[in-house]
Amino acid sequence: PFFLTAAIGKRMAARGGGTVVNISTTSALMAQPEIGTYCISKAGLNTMTRCFARELGPQGVRVNAISCGVIKTAMGDHTLNDPGRYADMMKINPLKRPGYPEEVASTALFLATEASSYSTGLILQVDAAGREGGIDLARIDAGHFEARFHQKLGGEMADLAKAKHGHFPERHGYF
């Protein structure tokens, strides 16, 4: 995301403006067992979003991010299909349901259009207030969290993991 945002942002600035919308996660807001690198990378994405918003804003380029909770997608299946994880999610989710891709898409559309023309550096949560509910997430059974995102990693991240460990780690609890 960094190099892509830098390259695209430069082109957008040259033409007088544009909008970048990054996809983040509420996992960036807390430390979770077994998916530490995912939490760290998404926290970095949030900071990167705010930094590029400051740097590119004067040239008319807005940079925002969507911080997703559990969304009904293949990535959300590990929570939605596990009764224990699902019960834990319901403890902190006042709407008592997962989010849907269409809800993330409509948020992206809002951030990409003039409807949000005075917003930049915004990390907009689409999570049913699950992370805002004041519940100490560290108390939720850590055994229900599992790192499945590693299957989605590719390119430089996978190469870095291979270089460090000689193979692609099956789990990300390798700090």
Side-chain angles (χ1 to χ4, degrees), residues 37-89:
T37 47
Y38 181 68
C39 298
I40 291 165
S41 67
K42 291 302 186 170
L45 179 68
N46 289 355
T47 299
M48 184 200 82
T49 297
R50 291 184 186 106
C51 289
F52 273 115
R54 292 268 181 189
E55 289 196 26
L56 297 172
Q59 290 88 38
V61 179
R62 297 181 303 108
V63 184
N64 296 296
I66 300 170
S67 179
C68 301
V70 177
I71 306 298
K72 195 167 177 64
T73 63
M75 191 157 180
D77 283 350
H78 70 282
T79 297
L80 299 174
N81 295 333
D82 181 290
R85 287 186 187 135
Y86 187 79
D88 284 347
M89 183 187 85

mmCIF file of all heavy atoms in Angstrom, residues 37-89:
data_model
loop_
_atom_site.group_PDB
_atom_site.id
_atom_site.type_symbol
_atom_site.label_atom_id
_atom_site.label_comp_id
_atom_site.label_asym_id
_atom_site.label_seq_id
_atom_site.Cartn_x
_atom_site.Cartn_y
_atom_site.Cartn_z
ATOM 1 N N THR A 37 1.268 -9.927 13.554
ATOM 2 C CA THR A 37 1.774 -9.224 12.374
ATOM 3 C C THR A 37 0.641 -8.582 11.585
ATOM 4 O O THR A 37 0.818 -7.506 11.007
ATOM 5 C CB THR A 37 2.583 -10.158 11.451
ATOM 6 O OG1 THR A 37 1.851 -11.364 11.252
ATOM 7 C CG2 THR A 37 3.925 -10.474 12.027
ATOM 8 N N TYR A 38 -0.507 -9.203 11.571
ATOM 9 C CA TYR A 38 -1.669 -8.621 10.903
ATOM 10 C C TYR A 38 -2.092 -7.338 11.623
ATOM 11 O O TYR A 38 -2.305 -6.304 10.983
ATOM 12 C CB TYR A 38 -2.808 -9.638 10.878
ATOM 13 C CG TYR A 38 -4.061 -9.164 10.179
ATOM 14 C CD1 TYR A 38 -4.063 -8.952 8.811
ATOM 15 C CD2 TYR A 38 -5.239 -8.961 10.882
ATOM 16 C CE1 TYR A 38 -5.208 -8.532 8.153
ATOM 17 C CE2 TYR A 38 -6.391 -8.553 10.240
ATOM 18 C CZ TYR A 38 -6.374 -8.337 8.870
ATOM 19 O OH TYR A 38 -7.516 -7.918 8.236
ATOM 20 N N CYS A 39 -2.175 -7.388 12.948
ATOM 21 C CA CYS A 39 -2.539 -6.202 13.734
ATOM 22 C C CYS A 39 -1.541 -5.071 13.488
ATOM 23 O O CYS A 39 -1.924 -3.917 13.280
ATOM 24 C CB CYS A 39 -2.576 -6.535 15.232
ATOM 25 S SG CYS A 39 -3.781 -7.783 15.695
ATOM 26 N N ILE A 40 -0.261 -5.412 13.521
ATOM 27 C CA ILE A 40 0.792 -4.414 13.326
ATOM 28 C C ILE A 40 0.723 -3.818 11.929
ATOM 29 O O ILE A 40 0.813 -2.594 11.752
ATOM 30 C CB ILE A 40 2.177 -5.048 13.577
ATOM 31 C CG1 ILE A 40 2.346 -5.381 15.060
ATOM 32 C CG2 ILE A 40 3.297 -4.121 13.101
ATOM 33 C CD1 ILE A 40 3.503 -6.321 15.344
ATOM 34 N N SER A 41 0.551 -4.662 10.917
ATOM 35 C CA SER A 41 0.533 -4.146 9.548
ATOM 36 C C SER A 41 -0.669 -3.228 9.320
ATOM 37 O O SER A 41 -0.553 -2.205 8.642
ATOM 38 C CB SER A 41 0.544 -5.286 8.532
ATOM 39 O OG SER A 41 -0.645 -6.035 8.580
ATOM 40 N N LYS A 42 -1.806 -3.568 9.893
ATOM 41 C CA LYS A 42 -2.986 -2.716 9.713
ATOM 42 C C LYS A 42 -2.885 -1.427 10.538
ATOM 43 O O LYS A 42 -3.371 -0.378 10.111
ATOM 44 C CB LYS A 42 -4.259 -3.491 10.041
ATOM 45 C CG LYS A 42 -4.571 -4.588 9.023
ATOM 46 C CD LYS A 42 -4.727 -4.037 7.608
ATOM 47 C CE LYS A 42 -5.187 -5.117 6.654
ATOM 48 N NZ LYS A 42 -5.576 -4.588 5.342
ATOM 49 N N ALA A 43 -2.247 -1.488 11.707
ATOM 50 C CA ALA A 43 -1.995 -0.258 12.471
ATOM 51 C C ALA A 43 -1.072 0.652 11.660
ATOM 52 O O ALA A 43 -1.262 1.878 11.615
ATOM 53 C CB ALA A 43 -1.393 -0.585 13.831
ATOM 54 N N GLY A 44 -0.074 0.043 11.014
ATOM 55 C CA GLY A 44 0.807 0.810 10.139
ATOM 56 C C GLY A 44 0.058 1.421 8.970
ATOM 57 O O GLY A 44 0.325 2.559 8.567
ATOM 58 N N LEU A 45 -0.884 0.668 8.406
ATOM 59 C CA LEU A 45 -1.696 1.191 7.310
ATOM 60 C C LEU A 45 -2.502 2.406 7.774
ATOM 61 O O LEU A 45 -2.621 3.389 7.039
ATOM 62 C CB LEU A 45 -2.635 0.107 6.776
ATOM 63 C CG LEU A 45 -3.558 0.527 5.639
ATOM 64 C CD1 LEU A 45 -2.770 0.810 4.378
ATOM 65 C CD2 LEU A 45 -4.594 -0.556 5.387
ATOM 66 N N ASN A 46 -3.043 2.355 8.978
ATOM 67 C CA ASN A 46 -3.796 3.499 9.503
ATOM 68 C C ASN A 46 -2.905 4.729 9.630
ATOM 69 O O ASN A 46 -3.301 5.837 9.248
ATOM 70 C CB ASN A 46 -4.416 3.154 10.854
ATOM 71 C CG ASN A 46 -5.565 2.175 10.742
ATOM 72 O OD1 ASN A 46 -5.981 1.801 9.649
ATOM 73 N ND2 ASN A 46 -6.068 1.725 11.877
ATOM 74 N N THR A 47 -1.699 4.541 10.167
ATOM 75 C CA THR A 47 -0.770 5.670 10.306
ATOM 76 C C THR A 47 -0.338 6.166 8.926
ATOM 77 O O THR A 47 -0.255 7.382 8.694
ATOM 78 C CB THR A 47 0.444 5.260 11.157
ATOM 79 O OG1 THR A 47 -0.028 4.893 12.453
ATOM 80 C CG2 THR A 47 1.442 6.401 11.281
ATOM 81 N N MET A 48 -0.078 5.254 8.013
ATOM 82 C CA MET A 48 0.279 5.637 6.653
ATOM 83 C C MET A 48 -0.841 6.473 6.023
ATOM 84 O O MET A 48 -0.593 7.488 5.366
ATOM 85 C CB MET A 48 0.539 4.387 5.810
ATOM 86 C CG MET A 48 1.008 4.700 4.399
ATOM 87 S SD MET A 48 0.761 3.303 3.280
ATOM 88 C CE MET A 48 -0.964 3.522 2.858
ATOM 89 N N THR A 49 -2.087 6.059 6.238
ATOM 90 C CA THR A 49 -3.227 6.804 5.711
ATOM 91 C C THR A 49 -3.213 8.239 6.221
ATOM 92 O O THR A 49 -3.362 9.191 5.444
ATOM 93 C CB THR A 49 -4.553 6.102 6.117
ATOM 94 O OG1 THR A 49 -4.582 4.808 5.507
ATOM 95 C CG2 THR A 49 -5.769 6.901 5.712
ATOM 96 N N ARG A 50 -2.997 8.404 7.510
ATOM 97 C CA ARG A 50 -2.980 9.755 8.089
ATOM 98 C C ARG A 50 -1.788 10.566 7.578
ATOM 99 O O ARG A 50 -1.914 11.769 7.321
ATOM 100 C CB ARG A 50 -2.964 9.659 9.608
ATOM 101 C CG ARG A 50 -4.269 9.142 10.180
ATOM 102 C CD ARG A 50 -4.254 9.149 11.714
ATOM 103 N NE ARG A 50 -5.435 8.531 12.228
ATOM 104 C CZ ARG A 50 -5.461 7.310 12.788
ATOM 105 N NH1 ARG A 50 -4.361 6.608 12.925
ATOM 106 N NH2 ARG A 50 -6.597 6.801 13.230
ATOM 107 N N CYS A 51 -0.638 9.933 7.431
ATOM 108 C CA CYS A 51 0.549 10.646 6.933
ATOM 109 C C CYS A 51 0.358 11.104 5.495
ATOM 110 O O CYS A 51 0.653 12.264 5.160
ATOM 111 C CB CYS A 51 1.793 9.758 7.045
ATOM 112 S SG CYS A 51 2.354 9.502 8.735
ATOM 113 N N PHE A 52 -0.119 10.204 4.634
ATOM 114 C CA PHE A 52 -0.356 10.605 3.248
ATOM 115 C C PHE A 52 -1.457 11.661 3.160
ATOM 116 O O PHE A 52 -1.400 12.535 2.285
ATOM 117 C CB PHE A 52 -0.693 9.398 2.370
ATOM 118 C CG PHE A 52 0.520 8.707 1.813
ATOM 119 C CD1 PHE A 52 0.824 7.416 2.196
ATOM 120 C CD2 PHE A 52 1.352 9.345 0.909
ATOM 121 C CE1 PHE A 52 1.948 6.769 1.674
ATOM 122 C CE2 PHE A 52 2.476 8.715 0.386
ATOM 123 C CZ PHE A 52 2.775 7.421 0.774
ATOM 124 N N ALA A 53 -2.438 11.604 4.031
ATOM 125 C CA ALA A 53 -3.481 12.638 4.040
ATOM 126 C C ALA A 53 -2.854 14.006 4.286
ATOM 127 O O ALA A 53 -3.213 14.996 3.632
ATOM 128 C CB ALA A 53 -4.530 12.325 5.104
ATOM 129 N N ARG A 54 -1.916 14.075 5.219
ATOM 130 C CA ARG A 54 -1.222 15.343 5.517
ATOM 131 C C ARG A 54 -0.322 15.781 4.358
ATOM 132 O O ARG A 54 -0.251 16.954 4.027
ATOM 133 C CB ARG A 54 -0.372 15.191 6.777
ATOM 134 C CG ARG A 54 -1.166 15.006 8.022
ATOM 135 C CD ARG A 54 -1.397 16.330 8.628
ATOM 136 N NE ARG A 54 -2.139 16.187 9.860
ATOM 137 C CZ ARG A 54 -2.621 17.219 10.493
ATOM 138 N NH1 ARG A 54 -2.421 18.422 10.042
ATOM 139 N NH2 ARG A 54 -3.306 17.057 11.588
ATOM 140 N N GLU A 55 0.383 14.828 3.781
ATOM 141 C CA GLU A 55 1.331 15.174 2.716
ATOM 142 C C GLU A 55 0.651 15.513 1.399
ATOM 143 O O GLU A 55 1.103 16.406 0.685
ATOM 144 C CB GLU A 55 2.316 14.020 2.501
ATOM 145 C CG GLU A 55 3.284 13.884 3.659
ATOM 146 C CD GLU A 55 4.489 13.033 3.319
ATOM 147 O OE1 GLU A 55 4.858 12.936 2.132
ATOM 148 O OE2 GLU A 55 5.057 12.472 4.259
ATOM 149 N N LEU A 56 -0.404 14.806 1.065
ATOM 150 C CA LEU A 56 -1.042 15.000 -0.227
ATOM 151 C C LEU A 56 -2.224 15.962 -0.183
ATOM 152 O O LEU A 56 -2.670 16.452 -1.226
ATOM 153 C CB LEU A 56 -1.496 13.652 -0.796
ATOM 154 C CG LEU A 56 -0.369 12.650 -1.088
ATOM 155 C CD1 LEU A 56 -0.950 11.282 -1.457
ATOM 156 C CD2 LEU A 56 0.542 13.171 -2.191
ATOM 157 N N GLY A 57 -2.739 16.231 1.001
ATOM 158 C CA GLY A 57 -3.889 17.131 1.136
ATOM 159 C C GLY A 57 -3.704 18.480 0.466
ATOM 160 O O GLY A 57 -4.610 18.946 -0.235
ATOM 161 N N PRO A 58 -2.558 19.137 0.658
ATOM 162 C CA PRO A 58 -2.378 20.452 0.018
ATOM 163 C C PRO A 58 -2.464 20.424 -1.516
ATOM 164 O O PRO A 58 -2.718 21.445 -2.138
ATOM 165 C CB PRO A 58 -0.973 20.872 0.478
ATOM 166 C CG PRO A 58 -0.790 20.171 1.785
ATOM 167 C CD PRO A 58 -1.477 18.838 1.590
ATOM 168 N N GLN A 59 -2.269 19.239 -2.116
ATOM 169 C CA GLN A 59 -2.396 19.113 -3.568
ATOM 170 C C GLN A 59 -3.780 18.597 -3.984
ATOM 171 O O GLN A 59 -3.993 18.223 -5.130
ATOM 172 C CB GLN A 59 -1.324 18.153 -4.121
ATOM 173 C CG GLN A 59 0.082 18.712 -4.051
ATOM 174 C CD GLN A 59 0.741 18.406 -2.714
ATOM 175 O OE1 GLN A 59 0.580 17.339 -2.146
ATOM 176 N NE2 GLN A 59 1.487 19.378 -2.206
ATOM 177 N N GLY A 60 -4.718 18.555 -3.034
ATOM 178 C CA GLY A 60 -6.083 18.168 -3.351
ATOM 179 C C GLY A 60 -6.357 16.673 -3.315
ATOM 180 O O GLY A 60 -7.409 16.221 -3.770
ATOM 181 N N VAL A 61 -5.427 15.894 -2.771
ATOM 182 C CA VAL A 61 -5.618 14.451 -2.695
ATOM 183 C C VAL A 61 -6.047 14.081 -1.282
ATOM 184 O O VAL A 61 -5.368 14.414 -0.309
ATOM 185 C CB VAL A 61 -4.323 13.687 -3.069
ATOM 186 C CG1 VAL A 61 -4.546 12.178 -2.949
ATOM 187 C CG2 VAL A 61 -3.875 14.059 -4.477
ATOM 188 N N ARG A 62 -7.188 13.418 -1.179
ATOM 189 C CA ARG A 62 -7.684 12.954 0.117
ATOM 190 C C ARG A 62 -7.338 11.487 0.280
ATOM 191 O O ARG A 62 -7.442 10.705 -0.666
ATOM 192 C CB ARG A 62 -9.201 13.149 0.209
ATOM 193 C CG ARG A 62 -9.614 14.598 0.142
ATOM 194 C CD ARG A 62 -11.112 14.843 0.254
ATOM 195 N NE ARG A 62 -11.889 14.134 -0.763
ATOM 196 C CZ ARG A 62 -12.659 13.073 -0.524
ATOM 197 N NH1 ARG A 62 -12.778 12.575 0.693
ATOM 198 N NH2 ARG A 62 -13.333 12.502 -1.490
ATOM 199 N N VAL A 63 -6.916 11.106 1.500
ATOM 200 C CA VAL A 63 -6.554 9.717 1.788
ATOM 201 C C VAL A 63 -7.276 9.299 3.066
ATOM 202 O O VAL A 63 -7.071 9.915 4.123
ATOM 203 C CB VAL A 63 -5.024 9.552 1.955
ATOM 204 C CG1 VAL A 63 -4.673 8.082 2.149
ATOM 205 C CG2 VAL A 63 -4.277 10.135 0.757
ATOM 206 N N ASN A 64 -8.129 8.299 2.961
ATOM 207 C CA ASN A 64 -8.913 7.801 4.092
ATOM 208 C C ASN A 64 -8.840 6.276 4.129
ATOM 209 O O ASN A 64 -8.336 5.646 3.204
ATOM 210 C CB ASN A 64 -10.376 8.243 3.963
ATOM 211 C CG ASN A 64 -10.529 9.744 4.039
ATOM 212 O OD1 ASN A 64 -10.230 10.352 5.052
ATOM 213 N ND2 ASN A 64 -10.968 10.353 2.954
ATOM 214 N N ALA A 65 -9.343 5.691 5.199
ATOM 215 C CA ALA A 65 -9.369 4.234 5.311
ATOM 216 C C ALA A 65 -10.681 3.791 5.942
ATOM 217 O O ALA A 65 -11.312 4.533 6.698
ATOM 218 C CB ALA A 65 -8.199 3.730 6.154
ATOM 219 N N ILE A 66 -11.049 2.569 5.621
ATOM 220 C CA ILE A 66 -12.208 1.920 6.238
ATOM 221 C C ILE A 66 -11.665 0.848 7.167
ATOM 222 O O ILE A 66 -10.902 -0.013 6.752
ATOM 223 C CB ILE A 66 -13.125 1.284 5.180
ATOM 224 C CG1 ILE A 66 -13.635 2.348 4.211
ATOM 225 C CG2 ILE A 66 -14.285 0.549 5.849
ATOM 226 C CD1 ILE A 66 -14.339 1.774 2.993
ATOM 227 N N SER A 67 -12.058 0.914 8.419
ATOM 228 C CA SER A 67 -11.641 -0.063 9.425
ATOM 229 C C SER A 67 -12.795 -1.040 9.639
ATOM 230 O O SER A 67 -13.780 -0.723 10.299
ATOM 231 C CB SER A 67 -11.284 0.668 10.728
ATOM 232 O OG SER A 67 -10.898 -0.243 11.712
ATOM 233 N N CYS A 68 -12.656 -2.222 9.052
ATOM 234 C CA CYS A 68 -13.748 -3.201 9.057
ATOM 235 C C CYS A 68 -13.724 -4.078 10.300
ATOM 236 O O CYS A 68 -12.664 -4.486 10.755
ATOM 237 C CB CYS A 68 -13.648 -4.105 7.840
ATOM 238 S SG CYS A 68 -13.724 -3.223 6.280
ATOM 239 N N GLY A 69 -14.895 -4.395 10.783
ATOM 240 C CA GLY A 69 -15.063 -5.438 11.784
ATOM 241 C C GLY A 69 -15.238 -6.757 11.054
ATOM 242 O O GLY A 69 -14.729 -6.938 9.943
ATOM 243 N N VAL A 70 -15.966 -7.691 11.630
ATOM 244 C CA VAL A 70 -16.190 -8.979 10.970
ATOM 245 C C VAL A 70 -17.224 -8.781 9.861
ATOM 246 O O VAL A 70 -18.359 -8.377 10.113
ATOM 247 C CB VAL A 70 -16.664 -10.058 11.972
ATOM 248 C CG1 VAL A 70 -16.969 -11.360 11.247
ATOM 249 C CG2 VAL A 70 -15.595 -10.277 13.036
ATOM 250 N N ILE A 71 -16.781 -9.062 8.646
ATOM 251 C CA ILE A 71 -17.621 -8.912 7.463
ATOM 252 C C ILE A 71 -17.886 -10.302 6.897
ATOM 253 O O ILE A 71 -17.014 -11.166 6.900
ATOM 254 C CB ILE A 71 -16.924 -8.021 6.407
ATOM 255 C CG1 ILE A 71 -16.507 -6.662 7.012
ATOM 256 C CG2 ILE A 71 -17.814 -7.828 5.182
ATOM 257 C CD1 ILE A 71 -17.645 -5.800 7.524
ATOM 258 N N LYS A 72 -19.072 -10.516 6.380
ATOM 259 C CA LYS A 72 -19.473 -11.828 5.849
ATOM 260 C C LYS A 72 -18.779 -12.066 4.502
ATOM 261 O O LYS A 72 -19.350 -11.877 3.436
ATOM 262 C CB LYS A 72 -20.984 -11.887 5.710
ATOM 263 C CG LYS A 72 -21.516 -13.294 5.525
ATOM 264 C CD LYS A 72 -23.016 -13.304 5.713
ATOM 265 C CE LYS A 72 -23.618 -14.648 5.471
ATOM 266 N NZ LYS A 72 -23.206 -15.679 6.380
ATOM 267 N N THR A 73 -17.509 -12.459 4.608
ATOM 268 C CA THR A 73 -16.669 -12.791 3.452
ATOM 269 C C THR A 73 -15.867 -14.035 3.802
ATOM 270 O O THR A 73 -15.949 -14.536 4.927
ATOM 271 C CB THR A 73 -15.681 -11.648 3.144
ATOM 272 O OG1 THR A 73 -14.800 -11.503 4.258
ATOM 273 C CG2 THR A 73 -16.398 -10.335 2.855
ATOM 274 N N ALA A 74 -15.059 -14.493 2.867
ATOM 275 C CA ALA A 74 -14.206 -15.658 3.134
ATOM 276 C C ALA A 74 -13.279 -15.387 4.319
ATOM 277 O O ALA A 74 -13.022 -16.276 5.125
ATOM 278 C CB ALA A 74 -13.397 -16.021 1.890
ATOM 279 N N MET A 75 -12.786 -14.157 4.460
ATOM 280 C CA MET A 75 -11.893 -13.848 5.574
ATOM 281 C C MET A 75 -12.647 -13.853 6.910
ATOM 282 O O MET A 75 -12.067 -14.166 7.941
ATOM 283 C CB MET A 75 -11.201 -12.510 5.364
ATOM 284 C CG MET A 75 -10.102 -12.271 6.339
ATOM 285 S SD MET A 75 -8.943 -11.084 5.682
ATOM 286 C CE MET A 75 -7.809 -11.014 7.026
ATOM 287 N N GLY A 76 -13.917 -13.513 6.884
ATOM 288 C CA GLY A 76 -14.707 -13.512 8.109
ATOM 289 C C GLY A 76 -15.218 -14.884 8.516
ATOM 290 O O GLY A 76 -15.692 -15.073 9.645
ATOM 291 N N ASP A 77 -15.092 -15.863 7.610
ATOM 292 C CA ASP A 77 -15.611 -17.207 7.892
ATOM 293 C C ASP A 77 -15.025 -17.832 9.155
ATOM 294 O O ASP A 77 -15.714 -18.565 9.861
ATOM 295 C CB ASP A 77 -15.365 -18.149 6.709
ATOM 296 C CG ASP A 77 -16.342 -17.915 5.570
ATOM 297 O OD1 ASP A 77 -17.323 -17.160 5.769
ATOM 298 O OD2 ASP A 77 -16.105 -18.473 4.481
ATOM 299 N N HIS A 78 -13.755 -17.546 9.444
ATOM 300 C CA HIS A 78 -13.139 -18.169 10.619
ATOM 301 C C HIS A 78 -13.834 -17.746 11.906
ATOM 302 O O HIS A 78 -13.826 -18.480 12.881
ATOM 303 C CB HIS A 78 -11.637 -17.853 10.674
ATOM 304 C CG HIS A 78 -11.320 -16.439 10.983
ATOM 305 N ND1 HIS A 78 -11.417 -15.445 10.041
ATOM 306 C CD2 HIS A 78 -10.922 -15.854 12.125
ATOM 307 C CE1 HIS A 78 -11.080 -14.288 10.600
ATOM 308 N NE2 HIS A 78 -10.786 -14.506 11.859
ATOM 309 N N THR A 79 -14.465 -16.584 11.908
ATOM 310 C CA THR A 79 -15.247 -16.147 13.062
ATOM 311 C C THR A 79 -16.696 -16.598 12.937
ATOM 312 O O THR A 79 -17.273 -17.126 13.886
ATOM 313 C CB THR A 79 -15.198 -14.610 13.192
ATOM 314 O OG1 THR A 79 -13.851 -14.218 13.440
ATOM 315 C CG2 THR A 79 -16.082 -14.125 14.332
ATOM 316 N N LEU A 80 -17.253 -16.424 11.765
ATOM 317 C CA LEU A 80 -18.678 -16.702 11.583
ATOM 318 C C LEU A 80 -19.015 -18.183 11.649
ATOM 319 O O LEU A 80 -20.126 -18.546 12.035
ATOM 320 C CB LEU A 80 -19.140 -16.116 10.248
ATOM 321 C CG LEU A 80 -18.982 -14.596 10.138
ATOM 322 C CD1 LEU A 80 -19.323 -14.135 8.731
ATOM 323 C CD2 LEU A 80 -19.823 -13.886 11.168
ATOM 324 N N ASN A 81 -18.076 -19.054 11.286
ATOM 325 C CA ASN A 81 -18.345 -20.491 11.266
ATOM 326 C C ASN A 81 -17.891 -21.219 12.520
ATOM 327 O O ASN A 81 -18.046 -22.430 12.604
ATOM 328 C CB ASN A 81 -17.689 -21.132 10.031
ATOM 329 C CG ASN A 81 -18.315 -20.629 8.752
ATOM 330 O OD1 ASN A 81 -19.472 -20.225 8.718
ATOM 331 N ND2 ASN A 81 -17.545 -20.629 7.688
ATOM 332 N N ASP A 82 -17.337 -20.507 13.467
ATOM 333 C CA ASP A 82 -16.886 -21.118 14.716
ATOM 334 C C ASP A 82 -17.802 -20.635 15.844
ATOM 335 O O ASP A 82 -17.842 -19.437 16.132
ATOM 336 C CB ASP A 82 -15.439 -20.717 14.995
ATOM 337 C CG ASP A 82 -14.908 -21.327 16.267
ATOM 338 O OD1 ASP A 82 -15.366 -20.906 17.362
ATOM 339 O OD2 ASP A 82 -14.028 -22.206 16.185
ATOM 340 N N PRO A 83 -18.560 -21.529 16.469
ATOM 341 C CA PRO A 83 -19.528 -21.106 17.489
ATOM 342 C C PRO A 83 -18.901 -20.290 18.626
ATOM 343 O O PRO A 83 -19.501 -19.314 19.085
ATOM 344 C CB PRO A 83 -20.104 -22.416 18.024
ATOM 345 C CG PRO A 83 -19.894 -23.401 16.921
ATOM 346 C CD PRO A 83 -18.618 -22.983 16.231
ATOM 347 N N GLY A 84 -17.714 -20.645 19.062
ATOM 348 C CA GLY A 84 -17.065 -19.895 20.141
ATOM 349 C C GLY A 84 -16.670 -18.496 19.724
ATOM 350 O O GLY A 84 -16.915 -17.522 20.446
ATOM 351 N N ARG A 85 -16.040 -18.399 18.555
ATOM 352 C CA ARG A 85 -15.649 -17.068 18.048
ATOM 353 C C ARG A 85 -16.873 -16.207 17.788
ATOM 354 O O ARG A 85 -16.881 -15.014 18.080
ATOM 355 C CB ARG A 85 -14.853 -17.225 16.752
ATOM 356 C CG ARG A 85 -13.472 -17.743 16.949
ATOM 357 C CD ARG A 85 -12.726 -17.709 15.617
ATOM 358 N NE ARG A 85 -11.465 -18.372 15.797
ATOM 359 C CZ ARG A 85 -10.963 -19.252 14.966
ATOM 360 N NH1 ARG A 85 -11.631 -19.581 13.880
ATOM 361 N NH2 ARG A 85 -9.800 -19.799 15.198
ATOM 362 N N TYR A 86 -17.893 -16.813 17.212
ATOM 363 C CA TYR A 86 -19.110 -16.067 16.908
ATOM 364 C C TYR A 86 -19.753 -15.543 18.201
ATOM 365 O O TYR A 86 -20.174 -14.389 18.279
ATOM 366 C CB TYR A 86 -20.088 -16.939 16.123
ATOM 367 C CG TYR A 86 -21.290 -16.170 15.625
ATOM 368 C CD1 TYR A 86 -21.183 -15.376 14.490
ATOM 369 C CD2 TYR A 86 -22.512 -16.237 16.283
ATOM 370 C CE1 TYR A 86 -22.273 -14.661 14.025
ATOM 371 C CE2 TYR A 86 -23.605 -15.523 15.819
ATOM 372 C CZ TYR A 86 -23.476 -14.745 14.693
ATOM 373 O OH TYR A 86 -24.554 -14.023 14.245
ATOM 374 N N ALA A 87 -19.796 -16.373 19.228
ATOM 375 C CA ALA A 87 -20.353 -15.945 20.520
ATOM 376 C C ALA A 87 -19.542 -14.791 21.098
ATOM 377 O O ALA A 87 -20.116 -13.837 21.645
ATOM 378 C CB ALA A 87 -20.390 -17.118 21.498
ATOM 379 N N ASP A 88 -18.212 -14.864 20.976
ATOM 380 C CA ASP A 88 -17.365 -13.771 21.456
ATOM 381 C C ASP A 88 -17.654 -12.480 20.696
ATOM 382 O O ASP A 88 -17.731 -11.402 21.278
ATOM 383 C CB ASP A 88 -15.882 -14.125 21.322
ATOM 384 C CG ASP A 88 -15.419 -15.095 22.385
ATOM 385 O OD1 ASP A 88 -16.149 -15.310 23.375
ATOM 386 O OD2 ASP A 88 -14.306 -15.635 22.233
ATOM 387 N N MET A 89 -17.834 -12.580 19.388
ATOM 388 C CA MET A 89 -18.147 -11.399 18.582
ATOM 389 C C MET A 89 -19.472 -10.795 19.018
ATOM 390 O O MET A 89 -19.614 -9.575 19.132
ATOM 391 C CB MET A 89 -18.194 -11.748 17.095
ATOM 392 C CG MET A 89 -18.449 -10.530 16.208
ATOM 393 S SD MET A 89 -18.707 -10.926 14.473
ATOM 394 C CE MET A 89 -20.450 -11.306 14.470
#
